[in-house]
Amino acid sequence: MLSLVTLKMNKRNLIQNQAIQAAKNQNWLKAIELNLQLLEENPKDISALNRLGVAYIQVGKKTKAKQSFQSVLKLEKSNTIAKKHLIRIKNNQTVQAPNFHQNQFIEEPGKTKTTQLRRLASKDLLSKLTVGQKCTIKLKNRHVSIEVDGKYIGSLPDDLSFRLGKLMKNGNEYSCWLRSINDQTCHVFLREIKRSNRNANTHSFSINKNNQNAVVNLDTNYVSKEALPVVLVNTDEDKEPEQSLSKIGEITRNPNELSP
């Protein structure tokens, strides 16, 4: 028989996974409700506070979002997630919410690859990007560059640029998505979507034991850090939406849990 502690941990893990999934589905009211459940049990859950702050922004509750992020910084002064979102709120930045497609980041040996970009664009431009955005692959003379909405954000490593450049010239086609992003690094996920007859016997990417049967899940840390964008709407009234938020106000008014 499972112990009471184990049962509580299993329940908490279930709620945590549901909160992450709600965010991926952009069901922000549900995400708020679930993260508040986690905070009822543990008001010092930094990941839940960060997710809650992001969800509040999505429904137009900028003040409560700030409270959540400030609560994080009280617990962990150097938390980059909270700092980043507070800066975005202060600067009134708007970032389009990513649309996560089912199986978007599943690895296929020889057909997919995650790589870190080189020769990055400015920090100001990178700060406006978010995970899940689709990129455009541009074949240049000496390298392959990556763009988002027509703006250059970086280039593929030289060896990969050389390889993909040759394959693209011979008819291959690829898709590209932002996989992780901050003001210092940027990783993209590349997928072969068409292999030409000339490249029929050539894999786009090397196959090794590490990428065979590899499936990437969006875990708590990943979602908290990069996958959740900030989208500011034209309201800061803090009037609770109806239905599933009915009890949220009662919890968030508890200064011991979320107030800075």
Side-chain angles (χ1 to χ4, degrees), residues 92-126:
N92 206 38
Q93 291 181 353
T94 300
V95 180
Q96 182 179 1
N99 181 18
F100 287 101
H101 302 282
Q102 185 177 12
N103 300 332
Q104 181 174 328
F105 291 126
I106 289 183
E107 304 278 2
E108 293 184 60
K111 289 189 175 183
T112 63
K113 183 178 181 64
T114 295
T115 188
Q116 182 174 337
L117 297 184
R118 304 290 191 266
R119 295 180 282 273
L120 293 177
S122 67
K123 292 183 178 180
D124 179 63
L125 176 58
L126 295 178

Side-chain angles (χ1 to χ4, degrees), residues 33-224:
E33 183 178 350
L34 291 167
N35 284 303
L36 284 171
Q37 287 183 36
L38 294 171
L39 290 168
E40 280 187 275
E41 181 183 339
N42 178 15
K44 296 183 179 181
D45 186 334
I46 289 176
S47 294
L49 281 167
N50 273 325
R51 290 193 302 266
L52 180 64
V54 171
Y56 270 140
I57 289 175
Q58 304 297 332
V59 298
K61 306 304 171 188
K62 186 167 65 173
T63 298
K64 288 185 177 179
K66 289 171 64 177
Q67 290 176 344
S68 294
F69 295 131
Q70 288 167 351
S71 295
V72 170
L73 295 182
K74 275 195 169 186
L75 297 168
E76 186 180 285
K77 294 181 180 180
S78 61
N79 189 279
T80 56
I81 303 168
K83 286 183 177 180
K84 180 177 181 179
H85 287 312
L86 283 172
I87 291 173
R88 284 180 166 179
I89 293 173
K90 181 179 179 181
N91 294 335
N92 206 38
Q93 291 181 353
T94 300
V95 180
Q96 182 179 1
N99 181 18
F100 287 101
H101 302 282
Q102 185 177 12
N103 300 332
Q104 181 174 328
F105 291 126
I106 289 183
E107 304 278 2
E108 293 184 60
K111 289 189 175 183
T112 63
K113 183 178 181 64
T114 295
T115 188
Q116 182 174 337
L117 297 184
R118 304 290 191 266
R119 295 180 282 273
L120 293 177
S122 67
K123 292 183 178 180
D124 179 63
L125 176 58
L126 295 178
S127 69
K128 297 176 182 177
L129 303 176
T130 189
V131 167
Q133 284 185 278
K134 190 170 184 178
C135 308
T136 302
I137 302 173
K138 295 286 187 177
L139 185 59
K140 304 294 184 179
N141 290 333
R142 296 184 179 180
H143 65 274
V144 174
S145 67
I146 304 298
E147 298 180 359
V148 174
D149 295 331
K151 296 181 180 179
Y152 171 88
I153 63 169
S155 62
L156 298 181
D158 292 341
D159 57 342
L160 188 56
S161 284
F162 179 76
R163 181 179 181 85
L164 287 196
K166 291 179 62 176
L167 293 172
M168 291 171 69
K169 287 178 180 179
N170 287 336
N172 273 23
E173 296 178 9
Y174 300 88
S175 62
C176 180
W177 304 84
L178 282 178
R179 184 158 193 170
S180 67
I181 182 75
N182 57 46
D183 60 1
Q184 296 181 338
T185 61
C186 179
H187 288 80
V188 295
F189 183 76
L190 301 166
R191 180 183 296 278
E192 174 193 299
I193 57 177
K194 176 185 176 182
R195 184 178 297 189
S196 69
N197 291 333
R198 296 181 64 182
N199 297 326
N201 298 318
T202 304
H203 290 300
S204 291
F205 311 105
S206 61
I207 299 177
N208 54 53
K209 293 182 179 179
N210 292 330
N211 61 25
Q212 288 179 354
N213 301 320
V215 177
V216 177
N217 295 315
L218 296 177
D219 60 18
T220 305
N221 194 45
Y222 178 73
V223 172
S224 296

